Amino acid sequence: MKLPVSRRTAVACGVSVVMLLTGGSIAGAAPAPGSGSAALAAAPDIPVANVKAHLAQLQSIATANGGNRAHGRAGYKASLDYVKAKLDAAGFTTAIQQFTSSGRTGYNLVADWPGGDADHVVMAGSHLDSVTAGPGINDNGSGSAAVLETALAVSRAGYHPAKHLRFAWWGAEELGMVGSRYYVNNLSSANRARIGGYLNFDMIGSPNPGYFVYDDDPTIEKTFKDYFAGIGVPTEIETEGDGRSDHAPFKNAGVPVGGLFSGADYTKTAAQAAKWGGTAGRAFDRCYHSSCDTSANIDDTALNRNADAVAYALWALSS
Ligand code: TRP
Ligand code: ZN
């Protein structure tokens, strides 16, 4: 949904026109820009109301299960079941991957969109677990809901890109990226080599937001930067702890990675408040890992822009 943003360009009939600028390892068989092949793909505008509806469901799940959605707790499995049911109804091939951490069973959810070149997989993922202290709506309901709604948008659009699309929701990130590491460790080297890129979304609706792009694979980074340049929103490189989320196991295994982040417990500077708005001298997310990380702990504009960026990048990198 288009909230009033300053300069949104290349918009027609609710569809963003995406100029494909691929290059580097994720580019695979994509046509070179200007090669004469179809170089335009339409990425949908992700309805932020739908993303927020998923967050409301995750909040209800936490409330009904002792106030959290943490690894090994009932609220985690209920969150996974919610996401899985949506994906199954939309035509995805879903699989639950089970693991054990700290004596409790954990679960990853992996959803494949049928079709595309199995040798060129583009993956998007986010961790679905919260800490035990709270419901984890920004960390990381926000990424989980945006990735879910992007997957549902793939289905609604009947999008059949050249590459194969895979979505994942990780368990036990808050225990040290346990689920994503388990997934990567259990990939055969052939299947790992088929993944041309992994895009990670962890905390993308922070209440006092910044717009941070991971400084990893140059093609993925440029794709996100192009999106934000197109809507006139300045970005910075993510510096609040490189390797602190589920892209780390992929990166360590040699998979090109990228992602977005709107800030955790670091303090927004005066310069950052001048360009992004919000409050200088206050954390990007004062409720990080706390009981107040509820559905009230979300900036709708940040959530909207970042969810649209998820779809933009996924479309641009998979055509
Ligand atoms: N889940 C991460 C954590 O609890 C949140 C986080 C902190 C993060 N810093 C980050 C995510 C930097 C991505 C990038 O530590
Ligand atoms: Zn997190």
Side-chain angles (χ1 to χ4, degrees):
M1 177 177 141
K2 282 180 274 309
L3 296 178
V5 293
S6 47
R7 295 187 289 118
R8 181 164 180 130
T9 56
V11 170
C13 306
V15 172
S16 308
V17 177
V18 179
M19 176 68 87
L20 281 183
L21 293 168
T22 50
S25 48
I26 199 172
S35 67
S37 312
L40 291 174
D45 192 290
I46 299 300
V48 73
N50 294 10
V51 181
K52 292 204 75 180
H54 301 314
L55 292 181
Q57 291 300 313
L58 295 175
Q59 175 69 66
S60 298
I61 287 168
T63 301
N65 290 282
N68 67 67
R69 304 181 302 100
H71 168 71
R73 311 297 183 95
Y76 181 74
K77 187 57 164 48
S79 299
L80 189 110
D81 292 342
Y82 171 77
V83 174
K84 183 177 184 295
K86 295 283 182 194
L87 295 163
D88 287 338
F92 284 83
T93 303
T94 59
I96 293 175
Q97 184 180 41
Q98 210 168 299
F99 58 89
T100 302
S101 183
S102 302
R104 294 174 188 249
T105 302
Y107 309 89
N108 294 325
L109 174 64
V110 179
D112 283 275
W113 181 237
D117 180 356
D119 286 335
H120 292 97
V121 178
V122 179
M123 254 188 113
S126 54
H127 76 85
L128 186 57
D129 64 312
S130 71
V131 292
T132 54
I137 298 304
N138 187 35
D139 181 14
N140 183 31
S142 62
S144 297
V147 173
L148 172 58
E149 191 57 28
T150 300
L152 299 179
V154 165
S155 173
R156 283 196 296 268
Y159 182 43
H160 290 289
K163 297 180 187 174
H164 180 77
L165 298 177
R166 182 175 300 150
F167 300 86
W169 289 263
W170 309 117
E173 186 273 349
E174 299 291 3
L175 281 67
M177 292 94 74
V178 175
S180 53
R181 192 168 52 239
Y182 184 86
Y183 176 82
V184 171
N185 285 346
N186 284 279
L187 281 173
S188 67
S189 57
N191 282 339
R192 189 196 62 225
R194 290 184 172 104
I195 304 173
Y198 171 72
L199 314 184
N200 193 63
F201 304 99
D202 185 359
M203 304 183 72
I204 59 169
S206 303
N208 187 28
Y211 294 88
F212 299 101
V213 177
Y214 298 4
D215 181 19
D216 275 295
D217 178 72
T219 300
I220 299 173
E221 181 182 343
K222 182 181 187 320
T223 304
F224 285 125
K225 286 178 168 173
D226 287 347
Y227 174 77
F228 285 101
I231 62 169
V233 173
T235 61
E236 289 185 12
I237 296 307
E238 188 284 305
T239 55
E240 199 170 336
D242 200 18
R244 273 177 71 180
S245 190
D246 297 297
H247 56 295
F250 286 87
K251 182 180 165 116
N252 292 340
V255 175
V257 302
L260 300 175
F261 178 58
S262 56
D265 51 358
Y266 282 26
T267 302
K268 184 179 272 189
T269 66
Q272 288 171 329
K275 65 177 163 184
W276 289 325
T279 309
R282 180 182 291 180
F284 295 103
D285 182 355
R286 288 196 292 182
C287 290
Y288 175 62
H289 285 184
S290 315
S291 59
C292 59
D293 186 9
T294 65
S295 44
N297 191 45
I298 291 289
D299 181 83
D300 289 2
T301 300
L303 186 69
N304 181 39
R305 289 169 173 170
N306 283 322
D308 288 346
V310 175
Y312 177 96
L314 201 79
W315 255 253
L317 296 168
S318 65
S319 300

